Each structure stands twice: as structure tokens, then as C-alpha cells.
Amino acid sequence: MKEKQLLIIEDEKPIAEILSYGFKKEGFTVRTAHTGADGLEAAKNIRPDIVLLDWMLPDLSGVDVCRMLTERFNIPIVMLTARSSIDDKLYGLETGADDYITKPFDLREVIARVKTILRRYEKVESTVENPDSPLIQMENLVISEKEWTVTQDGVRKELTPKEFELLHYFAKHPRQVFTRSQLLDHIWGYDFEGDTRTVDIHMQRLRKKLNLGNVLITIFGVGYKYEPQ
């Protein structure tokens, strides 16, 4: 894996230092911020490949920072927090986080999870950078595999990476029913430790953003499918 830029947004300096030390040993370039505002500014300046984001920050909520990052950039985000309830995890994922790690954590696990997410992003990017990749028409959407963009009636729509992957996957498999577990495997990967409700949250956001509630259909008790009109 080529050298990657990691941004750590963590107000507890000892934790930030441990994370920074571990990732530097793994060949990452590391930038650290201790407030949400500084983290947002750093993200704008360095455009990191991935962000480790603490939930509890002194100025802004990590959840708010996560939401602002996903609105502005296509950057994978891993939330770090002492909150361990499933509702908290789902709330963090709902704001756009790709993964969620509770404190206290094993540094080796954090590094492994980050590398897994980056491999998945590289796989998607290698697909969309294929110059022969076509444009995909889906209702009033145009999905560009080459540029990894979505336009709706000619207007560019901002999607998180996971939202784009879900939309692209359904567009490539019309009328095929997928269970939530299958979507977790295909989009998040076999080693993702999140709940299947993660899929529901992302589907809700996707349908709301693109007004696709009539074609991205819930198959009750099973999962979802794309039913072209």
C-alpha cells in the first residue's frame, strides 16, 4: 500500500500520540488535530485519505464534524468513542462514518480496520478510474464510473462513498433482491463488524437524497431491490 495521509482528530493527547506513533510505524503520514474546528481546517488543507475521529471534542461534537466532513469530502471516517451502545453506533454511522471503534481499543485492531477500509476504497477507485467505464443511466440519474459522480436532471449530487457504492451496485443489478447481510458483504466487506441496520440507515439517506423511494424498494423481511420504472 502506498503511503497514506491519516488525519487524527482527538482531544486526548496521549491517545492521539499513541495512534500517531502506531500509524507512522506502518508508513502513514499523520496529521493530528485536537479540536473539531482544527480538524475541519486540516481536512480542507491536506485532503487526508482517511480520518480517525473522536466523538467527544471540546468545541464541536464528533458527530457534527463527521457530518460536515462527509458533506464536503469523499473521505472515509472511523469514529473513536467510549460510547458502546448499538444506538450510538448507528447514530455515528448515520452521520456518514464508515466504521466505529469503542474505547479502550487495541492499536493493532485500529490499524487493521483502517487498512481494510483503505483497501476497499482503492478497489472502488481502481474500478471507476477505468477510462473505458461507461455512464450508467438510472431513472433520472447519470452515474459516472470514471469520475465517481452522480448527476440528477443535470445537477451534481453529493454522496458519501458508501452511498455511491450502494447506488452503483443497485444500478448494475436491477430487479435483483439483496438481503441486508449480502449488502454488508458486498459494500462494507466480510470483516465489517457493524449491525445490519447500518444498511437501513444508508438506504434511507440514499432514497431521501435522490428521491428514489419508488424504485429502491424494501422487500419486507428480506432486504432491498432496485425496480426500474
Side-chain angles (χ1 to χ4, degrees):
M1 180 184 294
K2 67 178 182 179
E3 187 171 288
K4 294 292 186 181
Q5 288 262 11
L6 168 69
L7 173 60
I8 300 170
I9 307 176
E10 167 63 70
D11 67 318
E12 295 186 56
K13 292 186 179 180
I15 294 178
E17 290 171 359
I18 290 171
L19 290 166
S20 179
Y21 173 77
F23 277 96
K24 285 179 178 178
K25 284 188 65 177
E26 293 295 320
F28 285 75
T29 299
V30 180
R31 172 78 174 268
T32 301
H34 300 300
T35 68
D38 287 346
L40 290 168
E41 184 67 20
K44 182 179 72 173
N45 292 334
I46 68 175
R47 296 297 179 95
D49 295 291
I50 192 164
V51 175
L52 284 176
L53 173 62
D54 184 30
W55 184 303
M56 302 297 292
L57 295 169
D59 54 344
L60 301 170
S61 164
V63 171
D64 290 333
V65 174
C66 181
R67 186 179 294 109
M68 286 185 272
L69 286 172
T70 55
E71 287 173 353
R72 300 174 191 179
F73 314 107
N74 285 329
I75 303 173
I77 299 168
V78 178
M79 296 287 291
L80 297 173
T81 178
R83 298 171 178 259
S84 59
S85 75
I86 188 63
D87 288 337
D88 286 331
K89 291 181 179 181
L90 291 173
Y91 183 46
L93 293 167
E94 185 178 8
T95 63
D98 290 81
D99 205 348
Y100 189 110
I101 299 175
T102 55
K103 300 177 181 178
F105 53 75
D106 187 311
L107 179 59
R108 294 168 299 178
E109 180 188 0
V110 178
I111 292 171
R113 301 264 282 270
V114 165
K115 286 183 175 181
T116 296
I117 291 170
L118 287 173
R119 281 196 296 270
R120 290 192 58 77
Y121 271 69
E122 287 178 344
K123 183 178 178 181
V124 171
E125 288 172 355
S126 68
T127 299
V128 301
E129 287 171 0
N130 180 354
D132 298 322
S133 294
L135 296 174
I136 301 174
Q137 186 75 39
M138 180 182 182
E139 308 306 313
N140 61 340
L141 303 172
V142 176
I143 303 169
S144 171
E145 293 179 318
K146 179 180 179 181
E147 297 179 356
W148 209 13
T149 59
V150 176
T151 57
Q152 186 172 46
D153 295 326
V155 178
R156 173 84 170 262
K157 308 299 288 188
E158 294 299 327
L159 301 182
T160 68
K162 283 291 180 286
E163 290 167 354
F164 180 90
E165 288 183 67
L166 270 173
L167 182 69
H168 180 263
Y169 195 73
F170 279 108
K172 298 282 278 188
H173 300 89
R175 299 186 176 87
Q176 186 170 340
V177 177
F178 295 100
T179 67
R180 291 168 177 81
S181 294
Q182 286 174 322
L183 291 170
L184 273 179
D185 290 344
H186 286 297
I187 307 301
W188 280 265
Y190 288 96
D191 49 4
F192 179 71
E193 297 184 5
D195 189 274
T196 55
R197 281 181 286 177
T198 301
V199 176
D200 297 330
I201 290 168
H202 282 76
M203 289 296 294
Q204 290 168 11
R205 290 207 316 251
L206 192 58
R207 289 191 289 204
K208 183 177 180 180
K209 280 186 178 182
L210 301 177
N211 193 27
L212 293 177
N214 61 328
V215 295
L216 289 180
I217 300 171
T218 301
I219 308 300
F220 292 100
V222 181
Y224 298 94
K225 75 170 178 176
Y226 164 44
E227 185 63 49
Q229 295 294 300

